[in-house]
Amino acid sequence: MIRIRNLSHAYEGAGIDALAGVDLDIPDGARVAVVGPNGSGKTTLLRHMNGLLPPRGGEVRVDGMSTADPSALPGIRQALGMVFQNPDNQLVGMTVEEDVAFGPENLRLPSREIRKRVDRALETVGLADFAERPPHTLSSGEKQLAAVAGVLAMGPRHIALDEPTAYLDPAGRRKVLRVIDKLHEQGISIIHVTHDMDEAAFAEQVVVMDRGRIRMQGPPSEVFQKTAELRDLGLDIPVVADLAGRLRRRGFEIGQGVLTLEEACDALCALLTETRSA
Amino acid sequence: MIRFGQYLPGKSPLHALDPRTKTAAVLVLSAAVLSGGPTSCALVSALLLGVAVLGRIPARELISALKPGLFFLALLFALHLLFTEGTPIPPFSGGWVTPTFEGLHTGALVTWRFALLLGEGALLTMTTSPGRLVSGLEWFLRPLNALGLRSHELALMVSLALRFVPTLLEEVHKVKDAQIARGAVFGRGAPLRRIRAVSRLVLPVVLGAFRRADDLAMAMEARGYSGAPRSHLEELRITGKDMAAGVVVVGIAVVVMAG
């Protein structure tokens, strides 16, 4: 459980507040997408979640541990793993397995336990055959999967990802998203910052940020109905939601909850069968 | 790319040896080679060939690993051949430089010695993963902890530097391409112009490296790094094989230095 209360943050020298009184609860096992224009505070919010930034005002608690308490930081970083945007700049090992071992090594686990965790994490993300490869020989997608494995090896209950697919090609993106699905199924809470509304559509909750505040929050089927407000913030809505809305305005009966391709296909098939039989 | 002595993953007995054993062996053998004559060089050559076979290193790989050193070796040989005082080799006498028999002799020996040093180094790095090599380095630096140095931090610094060499090289290429696309010219024109072109490359790459370092520091912190000593995926362990290897190497060194 991540509990954020009245969190504020100002970067030195910046005129405006990066975060201005954010309240957010993320229950265990939830899947939350955080969207918003550049500079809206998404990344700052994420960095507060595992204590990379100390709170200037308000409070962040991860499983009861406060990020303001330096002695709690090791526990917080074990409980909540972070995956960053640029896959190149977060890999520290000279081989993939040495990189995945970095976190458990910081926990000072015995080498047999580290080996077990490394192998399991690489298995989970599908990089078992890459264990001894140097990171620079991997594709961007594979590097990002290695970064996810490095976080997994810490045994986290929550994983926060900061635009993990921004640098990836479509194939790499698909692989990373599939692994995120899998981790969520295993009960790990996912906090996923993204610019891609189609990715956000897969979350259980969407949090829309703007100028350091949470502007909207709710299930994607609700949030993505507010087309005009989202456009005002400079945001898109998922292509499928857009299409469903346009069809609805032309008088076709399509449910509000249609957000993914799968759902759109079902809804359209139902419509077409109806017209054919009429 | 840097090819010299690149690590060849494998499961040979040589790969399995503790990195400290191998590093120490290289140091001992180097001392032996530098202090010994042709007989000791021959002995060490035979040993290295045996070791290469034991490490299952294909001859082709071994030769290509040594290739970058060939120019240096040739230069070393030529300098000794031409600039050593002594009896001129008949057909060439009388020029402003004269190859001498003494030069031929010392040149051959010195070149042989350096070739062996290169070979030892290549065999070490080809059969030891960079990670294990750095772990070994960390162990050797431990006595300096008494002076306030932190060997585990130093070792991590070395391994991070090695990890980022290819990434930064890639970045240099990208920046260069970006500048060429906007009309920059590299490798042509007057020397001053060339230097200026390169200096325009350095600034963005260095700035980029700082940005990377920032990101990296944050990623390391997020994964629980605090500067405190850490455990290791592979703990170094001296086994019977290491003992045996040590005995062989020290034995040869003693024979060489005594003889």
Side-chain angles (χ1 to χ4, degrees):
Chain A
M1 168 86 179
I2 302 164
R3 239 175 85 104
I4 299 173
R5 284 296 171 270
N6 197 26
L7 179 66
S8 299
H9 189 93
Y11 288 105
E12 249 153 77
I16 48 158
D17 288 354
L19 290 177
V22 169
D23 292 303
L24 185 63
D25 281 341
I26 298 169
D28 284 343
R31 182 165 186 178
V32 177
V34 182
V35 301
N38 283 337
S40 59
K42 306 179 301 261
T43 298
T44 309
L45 178 64
L46 221 59
R47 287 181 182 172
H48 271 284
M49 287 189 190
N50 78 343
L52 286 175
L53 295 173
R56 300 272 172 89
E59 186 188 56
V60 178
R61 282 185 181 273
V62 177
D63 298 333
M65 300 173 279
S66 165
T67 60
D69 172 11
S71 70
L73 288 179
I76 290 173
R77 284 169 184 161
Q78 202 178 339
L80 188 143
M82 281 270 254
V83 177
F84 296 86
Q85 186 173 13
N86 187 332
D88 265 321
N89 297 358
Q90 52 187 321
L91 298 181
V92 298
M94 280 181 285
T95 62
V96 169
E97 65 178 13
E98 279 171 25
D99 184 78
V100 176
F102 183 75
E105 285 175 351
N106 290 332
L107 300 176
R108 306 201 68 178
L109 296 172
S111 51
R112 186 179 305 188
E113 172 67 15
I114 299 179
R115 169 55 64 194
K116 220 162 66 191
R117 288 181 176 217
V118 168
D119 289 348
R120 197 166 357 135
L122 286 175
E123 193 69 46
T124 305
V125 303
L127 285 186
D129 295 338
F130 292 70
E132 290 192 41
R133 295 253 302 258
H136 70 93
T137 63
L138 270 56
S139 74
S140 298
E142 288 155 358
K143 282 180 202 168
Q144 201 62 300
L145 289 175
V148 173
V151 161
L152 273 182
M154 300 278 280
R157 289 184 290 277
H158 322 279
I159 296 184
L161 308 101
D162 189 2
E163 294 184 44
T165 60
Y167 282 51
L168 311 187
D169 60 9
R173 202 185 131 209
R174 265 198 303 278
K175 273 188 212 152
V176 168
L177 292 175
R178 210 174 299 143
V179 167
I180 295 177
D181 287 343
K182 193 167 163 185
L183 299 179
H184 178 236
E185 280 162 24
Q186 291 177 4
I188 297 176
S189 352
I190 304 286
I191 304 105
H192 182 178
V193 167
T194 179
H195 270 297
D196 188 311
M197 297 301 149
D198 296 315
E199 286 180 10
F202 285 94
E204 293 159 353
Q205 287 275 313
V206 178
V207 172
V208 182
M209 295 198 62
D210 181 46
R211 280 173 288 179
R213 291 194 166 79
I214 293 180
R215 280 298 152 102
M216 287 181 234
Q217 189 184 341
S221 56
E222 267 170 39
V223 169
F224 290 128
Q225 294 310 314
K226 301 176 180 158
T227 318
E229 282 120 300
L230 288 169
R231 292 264 153 86
D232 272 352
L233 297 177
L235 297 175
D236 283 326
I237 59 172
V239 178
V240 171
D242 195 9
L243 176 68
R246 281 164 198 253
L247 288 171
R248 222 173 289 132
R249 277 196 293 284
R250 294 203 183 184
F252 290 99
E253 273 177 46
I254 288 195
Q256 303 265 308
V258 174
L259 286 172
T260 63
L261 260 184
E262 199 68 29
E263 290 159 358
C265 186
D266 288 347
L268 287 176
C269 284
L271 269 184
L272 290 170
T273 329
E274 226 172 86
T275 30
R276 197 190 290 157
S277 58
Chain B
M1 264 321 287
I2 303 156
R3 282 285 303 161
F4 174 77
Q6 206 172 48
Y7 175 54
L8 300 173
K11 299 249 180 277
S12 78
L14 194 57
H15 286 78
L17 282 184
D18 190 286
R20 292 169 293 180
T21 312
K22 286 187 268 191
T23 311
V26 165
L27 293 178
V28 170
L29 288 178
S30 300
V33 162
L34 287 177
S35 64
T39 353
S40 45
C41 283
L43 204 57
V44 173
S45 303
L47 176 70
L48 288 187
L49 282 179
V51 164
V53 171
L54 198 67
R56 297 190 202 118
I57 298 192
R60 192 168 41 85
E61 290 286 347
L62 195 60
I63 290 164
S64 80
L66 291 176
K67 227 182 234 167
L70 284 183
F71 173 75
F72 169 73
L73 291 178
L75 188 71
L76 200 64
F77 180 71
L79 287 178
H80 275 97
L81 180 66
L82 297 178
F83 294 105
T84 308
E85 303 251 332
T87 330
I89 298 172
F92 302 106
S93 57
W96 61 281
V97 282
T98 19
T100 61
F101 284 108
E102 286 80 359
L104 186 66
H105 179 255
T106 38
L109 183 62
V110 169
T111 312
W112 195 0
R113 280 176 177 167
F114 273 92
L116 287 176
L117 295 187
L118 283 178
E120 288 167 11
L123 281 174
L124 172 67
T125 55
M126 288 169 97
T127 62
T128 317
S129 76
R132 280 169 67 79
L133 213 51
V134 172
S135 300
L137 175 74
E138 195 261 336
W139 187 86
F140 281 111
L141 291 176
R142 265 182 215 174
L144 297 179
N145 286 356
L147 302 174
L149 201 85
R150 309 228 271 171
S151 58
H152 62 276
E153 282 188 359
L154 217 66
L156 186 64
M157 261 160 60
V158 172
S159 78
L160 283 176
L162 290 175
R163 143 80 185 92
F164 275 92
V165 166
T167 312
L168 291 177
L169 279 177
E170 216 171 278
E171 182 133 315
V172 170
H173 283 295
K174 264 191 215 156
V175 173
K176 199 170 170 185
D177 284 347
Q179 295 190 351
I180 288 172
R182 287 177 288 160
V185 176
F186 291 97
R188 264 196 291 138
L192 198 63
R193 215 188 129 108
R194 287 191 199 198
I195 292 171
R196 276 224 296 272
V198 171
S199 74
R200 276 197 293 268
L201 205 61
V202 171
L203 193 63
V205 171
V206 168
L207 285 180
F210 276 113
R211 221 171 11 247
R212 265 181 211 288
D214 259 356
D215 278 7
L216 187 69
M218 186 169 305
M220 287 168 63
E221 217 187 317
R223 288 165 76 182
Y225 181 71
S226 62
R230 315 170 334 112
S231 61
H232 289 286
L233 173 61
E234 281 177 68
E235 299 293 347
L236 302 181
R237 209 175 319 116
I238 298 286
T239 63
K241 279 181 190 152
D242 290 291
M243 294 299 200
V247 168
V248 171
V249 167
V250 170
I252 287 181
V254 166
V255 169
V256 163
M257 288 184 189

